[in-house]
Amino acid sequence: MATINKIGVIGAGQMGSGIAHVCSLAGLDITLADVSADRAKAGVDVIDGNLQRQVGKGQVTDDARKAALGRIKPVGGLGDFKDCDLVIEAATENEQIKRKIFTELCPQLKPETMVASNTSSISITRLAASTDRPERFIGIHFMNPVPLMQLVELIRGIATEDETFDAAKVLIDKLGKSVAVSEDFPAFMVNRILLPMINEAIYTLYEGVGSVDAIDTAMRLGANHPMGPLQLADFIGLDTCLSVMQVLHEGLADSKYRPCPLLVKYVEAGWLGRKTQRGFYDYRGEHPVPTR
């Protein structure tokens, strides 16, 4: 079975920086790439801030924080993955963007390097077909926020070899996380269940059944959810929520997965949630305020 010591991560945003965070803490060397070196360095700054919070809570030592940061190399572009044993793509949830990344990436890699996508919904078989190594391609779907969430979904494409799957599982074990194996169906397991619930909450708002605050309060107190579905949608990113619902709607051809028109409208307005400071809540003040 292949041994994974050095990992490349493509995308230094919320998911990519989180993946680099947990992998570096586990003693793995990381190359963290984004479209520019400055954006990759900004991702490292985010990792440092999150590590410092863990130090403050007594979850890691300051020496461990410094050692983890020392294992992360921020770079711009896709030309620095020649020595990686595994490269994990964590770019935006858009199939064409991901396929373009894989087409450009694979010629830079060793023949034996494994490639993974952190996609939360897109077919692993289709993404693998855009590479020169579908047998060494797998879906490794981390949950958000990566340092806090225990679960990782592993998804095999039709061509994924046992050796690739076994190596990915050993990696997840090394990170101290738990594996749930999903078949390669649209949105896999977690988002197949979670995103339709969020979409239904948005329909509930759209149809005037309840306000943002009422819907979130109802699910927090009535279903014991840690946060309401609209607050969670803002945290995930409304553009990502829409992308997953579109994958479900197109892939399963069932009207029950139709994205709510209000979700589409918010995305068209650029109100994407916490990352743009507006979504179902307005985050520009001292405290979040419902927008409806």
Side-chain angles (χ1 to χ4, degrees):
M1 184 173 60
T3 301
I4 298 173
N5 294 312
K6 186 170 184 179
I7 295 177
V9 179
I10 299 173
Q14 192 170 34
M15 293 305 299
S17 62
I19 294 167
H21 176 146
V22 298
C23 290
S24 63
L25 263 184
L28 299 161
D29 292 325
I30 308 299
T31 299
L32 179 62
D34 211 305
V35 292
S36 69
D38 285 344
R39 287 183 62 170
K41 290 173 184 174
V44 176
D45 291 340
V46 170
I47 294 169
D48 188 21
N50 291 334
L51 283 168
Q52 288 187 41
R53 277 191 287 274
Q54 288 183 303
V55 171
K57 294 177 181 178
Q59 296 170 340
V60 301
T61 66
D62 195 53
D63 286 344
R65 176 189 70 85
K66 293 174 182 175
L69 289 173
R71 296 186 190 103
I72 304 173
K73 175 186 175 185
V75 300
L78 301 176
D80 288 271
F81 297 114
K82 295 180 178 61
D83 297 328
C84 291
D85 305 306
L86 168 69
V87 178
I88 303 173
E89 170 272 317
T92 187
E93 192 69 358
N94 179 293
E95 183 168 348
Q96 295 310 310
I97 290 174
K98 291 179 186 294
R99 291 172 70 91
K100 184 174 184 292
I101 287 171
F102 293 132
T103 300
E104 295 176 3
L105 170 70
C106 287
Q108 316 295 328
L109 305 179
K110 300 179 295 184
E112 64 271 23
T113 298
M114 293 180 291
V115 178
S117 177
N118 185 60
T119 178
S120 58
S121 63
I122 300 167
S123 167
I124 298 303
T125 296
R126 283 205 310 271
L127 292 177
S130 65
T131 76
D132 60 0
R133 60 197 71 206
E135 70 284 354
R136 289 187 291 281
F137 191 97
I138 191 167
I140 304 179
H141 177 213
F142 290 84
M143 303 296 120
N144 185 27
V146 181
L148 300 181
M149 299 298 282
Q150 181 66 24
L151 183 72
V152 178
E153 285 182 315
L154 285 184
I155 310 99
R156 301 174 72 138
I158 194 170
T160 305
E161 291 181 342
D162 289 345
E163 183 180 3
T164 303
F165 176 83
D166 292 342
K169 190 173 184 304
V170 168
L171 171 65
I172 301 312
D173 290 342
K174 184 172 184 176
L175 300 181
K177 297 191 179 294
S178 301
V179 168
V181 179
S182 173
E183 294 296 323
D184 190 15
F185 279 81
F188 317 131
M189 292 186 298
V190 172
N191 281 334
R192 171 79 177 263
I193 297 167
L194 177 64
L195 264 297
M197 184 200 74
I198 289 174
N199 194 53
E200 192 63 26
I202 300 170
Y203 266 115
T204 304
L205 177 66
Y206 177 61
E207 293 167 3
V209 179
S211 65
V212 169
D213 182 64
I215 292 165
D216 277 354
T217 299
M219 293 306 291
R220 283 198 312 271
L221 302 184
N224 204 28
H225 289 191
M227 67 173 69
L230 301 176
Q231 181 187 5
L232 179 57
D234 276 357
F235 182 78
I236 293 169
L238 302 191
D239 52 341
T240 300
C241 292
L242 178 58
S243 294
V244 174
M245 289 308 303
Q246 288 170 332
V247 167
L248 281 167
H249 192 220
E250 294 165 9
L252 298 174
D254 192 322
S255 61
K256 72 180 181 180
Y257 298 114
R258 182 172 72 97
C260 179
L262 184 60
L263 173 59
V264 175
K265 183 179 291 185
Y266 271 56
V267 172
E268 289 176 343
W271 291 21
L272 308 182
R274 292 186 67 94
K275 60 188 173 185
T276 60
Q277 298 299 299
R278 280 196 197 180
F280 293 110
Y281 292 85
D282 188 328
Y283 300 91
R284 293 174 296 173
E286 187 176 349
H287 302 288
V289 177
T291 53
R292 293 175 76 91

